[in-house]
Amino acid sequence: MSLPLSMTDTVAGLRDEVQSWREAGYTVGFVPTMGALHAGHISLVRTALQRADRVVASVFVNPAQFAPGEDFETYPRTLEEDAAKLAEAGCHLLYAPTVREMYPTGFASAVHVDGPAFGLESQTRPHFFGGVATVVTKLLNQVRPDTAVFGEKDYQQLLVIRRLVTDLDLGVEIVAGETLREGDGLAMSSRNAYLSAEERGRAGQLNLILKDLAQEAASGKPLETSLLHARTRAEEVFDAVDYIEIRNAHTLQAIETETLEEPARVLAAVRVGKTRLIDNMAV
Amino acid sequence: MSLPLSMTDTVAGLRDEVQSWREAGYTVGFVPTMGALHAGHISLVRTALQRADRVVASVFVNPAQFAPGEDFETYPRTLEEDAAKLAEAGCHLLYAPTVREMYPTGFASAVHVDGPAFGLESQTRPHFFGGVATVVTKLLNQVRPDTAVFGEKDYQQLLVIRRLVTDLDLGVEIVAGETLREGDGLAMSSRNAYLSAEERGRAGQLNLILKDLAQEAASGKPLETSLLHARTRAEEVFDAVDYIEIRNAHTLQAIETETLEEPARVLAAVRVGKTRLIDNMAV
């Protein structure tokens, strides 16, 4: 039987609850989210529950990782439904701080990560990973979990966070949560809610294009040919293609060989109407 | 009776020792240093010992806070003497990591602080506080102490670290350790070892100039007049004056009033021969 879900919107409330768990000898898992929870998030919570005695999920739409003109204002906020889903999943604590709690007057610090943050998402969203690194450093220091789960859907973010945790000695095990997909293979994302029916129809093509690209690359075809093919297909379906790439799976560095000789990942970002979709998969 | 001093040069060794203290219910204090320990450092260790059951001191000359051409290579390294002094003071653990342990291959993260880091030291050493903020974030996450002691001698650094600890939720109490002075009032500093006898004679003037400036400002004299007087005196004695300023004691922001109406601090950096000296005091 699971305990009822507690809720807090303050660092002090969070620390009190985690402290009481620590005193009882429990291990602590953590799942940071921006809310608008779907089955993919709940799967991350289940992964955390398998690895820790008590699990905190955070819901915080972090202004620091949105640029002006991006969807910070319109990002879906569904805290009541989120709480119900977390309670049902057996999560123990929902931490939903305000912007003022996270960034009080006088806030003046930032965490910057290079390495895996270079290129891809950073090309289109140059301030994104700085905002992510700063808020994740704060959240991990606030919760001090044994384990934190991040979805592979945001694969570059996952590698940036692994780098950050190693570099700043944050002392937490980072676990990758697999990407959940809809029936047509579209990766689950809170931003899928933005899609019109027509756009939703096209969106499902992204994972198919990536799947074919990964198969071609794995089969030993020249990477340039496979990439050209995938990009051409994507440009026919989508309103813009930010990138489609094959990169080293661990460093995200460009692959210099003609055909594939190292562990690799295919990654893409495209626009469908006003919605930006990202996806990735192992080769 | 004090325990013998343990020593480790690895994060793992440090964490093992701190973990065993935690399991025994001890509180933990921390004093980060760059070594070349003098009575001022030992006073910080004593402050930590008053507040915590067990105390770690670190000795690490952090390359990230030195610019090319500064004294990273020549900075005094006296680990054996440092260990003897720490043992005598009753410190429990000396943590002296290598550069490779702190910044392994692939290291790609940095912490940046604005606010109190703006101006003063940053004018002459623009990368200094970035290097300090990054290494202090690492050290505090490695040790996870209850209390950490930083000397008021580096007053701007103390405020930067308070800002950092608040902003990144590092969950440690920062305690200010008072500045120890030689007979003529010269603030103790590892860099005083660089001074020739002639330079050492002049160096003692810095604290006298600051003391007079603080008294004039406190007495209600116009700040511009007092500052001009102090700067003129300093330029006569020293080979260069990087800055002499009166700033808000909490924010280090410039003071806009003609005479003093807020808590303030006088701060200075000067050059004597090739040696850069800094000092500060309350008004």
Side-chain angles (χ1 to χ4, degrees), chain A residues 5 53 73 82 115 166 217-218 224 240 243 282:
Chain A
L5 178 75
D53 302 317
E73 300 297 338
D82 293 346
T166 300
E224 275 310 312
Y243 61 82

Side-chain angles (χ1 to χ4, degrees), chain B residues 195 198-200 202-203 237-240 270-277:
Chain B
L195 298 167
E198 182 276 325
E199 290 165 349
R200 175 65 190 80
R202 286 190 279 148
V237 176
F238 300 112
D239 300 305
V270 300
R271 314 260 177 170
V272 193
K274 288 182 174 172
T275 305
R276 188 168 183 275
L277 302 175

Side-chain angles (χ1 to χ4, degrees), chain A residues 163-169, chain B residues 8-12 14-15 30 32-33 58-65 95-109 131-143:
Chain A
R163 184 77 257 165
L164 167 75
V165 164
T166 300
D167 287 354
L168 297 187
D169 302 286
Chain B
T8 181
D9 58 5
T10 66
V11 181
L14 168 71
R15 284 190 164 146
F30 177 46
T33 83
S58 64
V59 169
F60 181 62
V61 185
N62 174 35
Q65 70 195 62
Y95 172 51
T98 60
V99 171
R100 178 158 292 266
E101 180 76 4
M102 291 294 279
Y103 303 112
T105 307
F107 185 91
S109 302
V132 168
T134 304
V135 82
V136 169
T137 301
K138 284 179 64 68
L139 289 168
L140 290 176
N141 280 326
Q142 288 169 357
V143 180

Side-chain angles (χ1 to χ4, degrees), chain B residues 204-227:
Chain B
Q205 292 292 310
L206 181 58
N207 83 97
L208 301 178
I209 293 171
L210 285 183
K211 209 181 277 179
D212 289 346
L213 173 60
Q215 274 169 3
E216 286 191 21
S219 75
K221 276 203 186 162
L223 298 178
E224 275 311 312
T225 316
S226 309
L227 278 168

